[in-house]
Amino acid sequence: MANKTFAVLTSGGDAPGMNACIRAIYLTAASLNIHLIGFLHGYNGLLKSDYIRLNNHNTKGIIAIGGTLLKSARCVEFNQPENLLKAANNLQALNIDCLIVIGGNGSLSGLYELKKIWFGQVIGIPGTIDNDLFGSDYTIGYQTAIDTAVDAIDKLRDTAEAFERIFLVEVMGRNAGFIALSCALASASEQALTPELVTDPHAELESIIAHVETVRQIEGQCSMIIVIAENLWPGGVTDLATTLTEQIGLECRPCTLGHIQRGGRPVAFDRILASKLGCFAVQQAAAGEDNLMVGEINQIMVTTDLATAVSHQKPLDTFMINMQQNIFEVYHG
Ligand code: F6P
């Protein structure tokens, strides 16, 4: 019987640890005598049949490197029927048995759409700094992104302290507040604003002002850091800083951490998680499993069908919310 061939691609926002995952997929596939190709530039490579063969040489040493060897891209037009068909034809022409996609919600939704018209197997791996995929406690890249953000906020604190200023720090997360909540907690920020907890930003303004005033009443002139998830405040942190400065008469400075959060050497946690997910994905595919996303929940490797993974919302950790909002923030004001 001919050896099987699997394909992998990385799609959407790159995340530190994607390379570790590609390496694990290659090593596991090789151990099972499965050939592996990697499409370049996300789904664009699949549409153009632009790929490389993965081997010992090009996967060596990549575990410690951020970004993705296979490059990434967003391909919004992938879900159009003619493109899905093209992708299916290209996979068939290359005799691909299974397509593995490492990416976030949008990328795995694309994979789910492809499965509707392609007879081959599809497996998704949660890879995004946003941590917003249902079916895995953590996604590849999230822990590194938090570390990067916390390191940056620690540095901001030094200058905030020196000037006794208020800083508004915008972190990534797409429409989820995992990064915001975690790095606010880890950096002892005075407030965290996340989309899950702030439904009406303008109504929130009063509470932000009240919070700042109370902190100042208790601690006097002092530094304050408020972490805000991106896409939460209309106009972003720059607008919010201007509004707050006008309303409370105190200098507020905005800082957007931006794409810095996506880069850097993956922390060991992400390398290990990515390796486990990559290995497990190949094992599942080799066993004939299909149309699912692999994940890890409570230290157990699990699978979730793709439809569920992309349509369910993963909730924030309620223990952390309570700590940050009802205990720590209350104590500070
Ligand atoms: O999904 C990862 C992410 O970094 C989000 O946090 C952010 O909203 C988005 O990608 C930014 O995308 P782009 O790099 O296309 O600007």
Side-chain angles (χ1 to χ4, degrees), residues 144-275:
T144 307
I146 301 172
D147 261 23
T148 303
V150 169
D151 186 53
I153 297 171
D154 285 349
K155 289 181 170 122
L156 274 178
R157 178 69 82 176
D158 292 344
T159 174
E161 268 292 299
F163 273 70
E164 292 170 323
R165 257 181 187 152
I166 298 166
F167 268 88
L168 306 169
V169 185
E170 184 175 295
V171 295
M172 279 189 165
R174 206 169 64 107
N175 299 312
F178 293 94
I179 298 179
L181 180 63
S182 292
C183 68
L185 189 67
S187 61
S189 292
E190 278 74 10
Q191 200 168 7
L193 303 175
T194 76
E196 295 85 346
L197 305 170
V198 176
T199 38
D200 179 357
H202 287 296
E204 194 65 22
L205 190 60
E206 294 301 307
S207 109
I208 300 172
I209 293 171
H211 193 75
V212 171
E213 284 171 349
T214 319
V215 170
R216 290 267 166 156
Q217 266 164 24
I218 295 172
E219 299 187 22
Q221 175 99 346
C222 63
S223 75
M224 255 190 96
I225 293 187
I226 302 174
V227 178
I228 301 163
E230 66 174 348
N231 301 321
L232 187 151
W233 202 267
V237 273
T238 309
D239 265 32
L240 180 57
T242 310
T243 308
L244 271 182
T245 303
E246 281 166 10
Q247 301 230 359
I248 56 180
L250 296 169
E251 249 186 345
C252 297
R253 288 278 192 269
C255 176
T256 302
L257 299 187
H259 289 79
I260 286 172
Q261 294 160 96
R262 287 232 298 255
R265 289 163 64 86
V267 296
F269 184 99
D270 275 326
R271 298 182 198 192
I272 295 165
L273 175 70
S275 300

Side-chain angles (χ1 to χ4, degrees), residues 312-329:
H312 283 54
Q313 202 191 348
K314 181 159 76 178
L316 289 182
D317 178 337
T318 50
F319 190 83
M320 271 174 66
I321 295 171
N322 186 40
M323 244 195 316
Q324 174 68 29
Q325 289 210 315
N326 301 330
I327 303 176
F328 297 176
E329 284 180 19

Side-chain angles (χ1 to χ4, degrees), residues 12-314:
D14 51 286
M18 280 184 164
N19 278 327
C21 191
I22 295 167
R23 170 181 175 269
I25 291 169
Y26 166 69
L27 291 176
T28 312
S31 77
L32 298 169
N33 287 321
I34 295 168
H35 299 299
L36 183 67
I37 67 163
F39 288 108
L40 300 170
H41 304 106
Y43 285 114
N44 294 311
L46 173 52
L47 293 178
K48 292 180 188 155
S49 241
D50 184 14
Y51 65 90
I52 57 170
R53 289 200 180 277
L54 289 160
N55 55 41
N56 265 319
H57 182 67
N58 56 21
T59 54
K60 199 174 173 119
I62 62 171
I63 196 167
I65 303 171
T68 158
L69 159 79
L70 295 175
K71 310 293 179 195
S72 195
R74 300 196 190 277
C75 182
V76 276
E77 65 278 19
F78 182 71
N79 284 0
Q80 290 166 6
E82 65 274 22
N83 285 330
L84 292 170
L85 195 60
K86 195 171 189 182
N89 287 339
N90 289 348
L91 288 164
Q92 194 174 347
L94 290 165
N95 285 320
I96 303 299
D97 297 285
C98 176
L99 174 66
I100 299 173
V101 171
I102 311 168
N105 192 291
S107 306
L108 300 196
S109 300
L111 188 62
Y112 176 64
E113 292 304 314
L114 175 65
K115 177 64 203 173
K116 292 181 183 166
I117 60 140
W118 181 50
F119 59 83
Q121 294 164 262
V122 300
I123 307 273
I125 301 183
T128 163
I129 63 165
D130 303 333
N131 199 34
D132 59 348
L133 270 165
F134 183 86
S136 189
D137 286 343
Y138 300 110
T139 57
I140 297 168
Y142 170 60
Q143 299 289 345
T144 307
I146 301 172
D147 261 23
T148 303
V150 169
D151 186 53
I153 297 171
D154 285 349
K155 289 181 170 122
L156 274 178
R157 178 69 82 176
D158 292 344
T159 174
E161 268 292 299
F163 273 70
E164 292 170 323
R165 257 181 187 152
I166 298 166
F167 268 88
L168 306 169
V169 185
E170 184 175 295
V171 295
M172 279 189 165
R174 206 169 64 107
N175 299 312
F178 293 94
I179 298 179
L181 180 63
S182 292
C183 68
L185 189 67
S187 61
S189 292
E190 278 74 10
Q191 200 168 7
L193 303 175
T194 76
E196 295 85 346
L197 305 170
V198 176
T199 38
D200 179 357
H202 287 296
E204 194 65 22
L205 190 60
E206 294 301 307
S207 109
I208 300 172
I209 293 171
H211 193 75
V212 171
E213 284 171 349
T214 319
V215 170
R216 290 267 166 156
Q217 266 164 24
I218 295 172
E219 299 187 22
Q221 175 99 346
C222 63
S223 75
M224 255 190 96
I225 293 187
I226 302 174
V227 178
I228 301 163
E230 66 174 348
N231 301 321
L232 187 151
W233 202 267
V237 273
T238 309
D239 265 32
L240 180 57
T242 310
T243 308
L244 271 182
T245 303
E246 281 166 10
Q247 301 230 359
I248 56 180
L250 296 169
E251 249 186 345
C252 297
R253 288 278 192 269
C255 176
T256 302
L257 299 187
H259 289 79
I260 286 172
Q261 294 160 96
R262 287 232 298 255
R265 289 163 64 86
V267 296
F269 184 99
D270 275 326
R271 298 182 198 192
I272 295 165
L273 175 70
S275 300
K276 287 169 89 173
L277 293 176
C279 176
F280 188 57
V282 174
Q283 287 175 342
Q284 292 297 302
E289 296 296 335
D290 187 15
N291 208 5
L292 50 82
M293 185 192 87
V294 294
E296 186 180 17
I297 295 178
N298 294 331
Q299 291 187 307
I300 294 171
M301 304 310 287
V302 296
T303 61
T304 303
D305 60 274
L306 265 181
T308 305
V310 298
S311 61
H312 283 54
Q313 202 191 348
K314 181 159 76 178

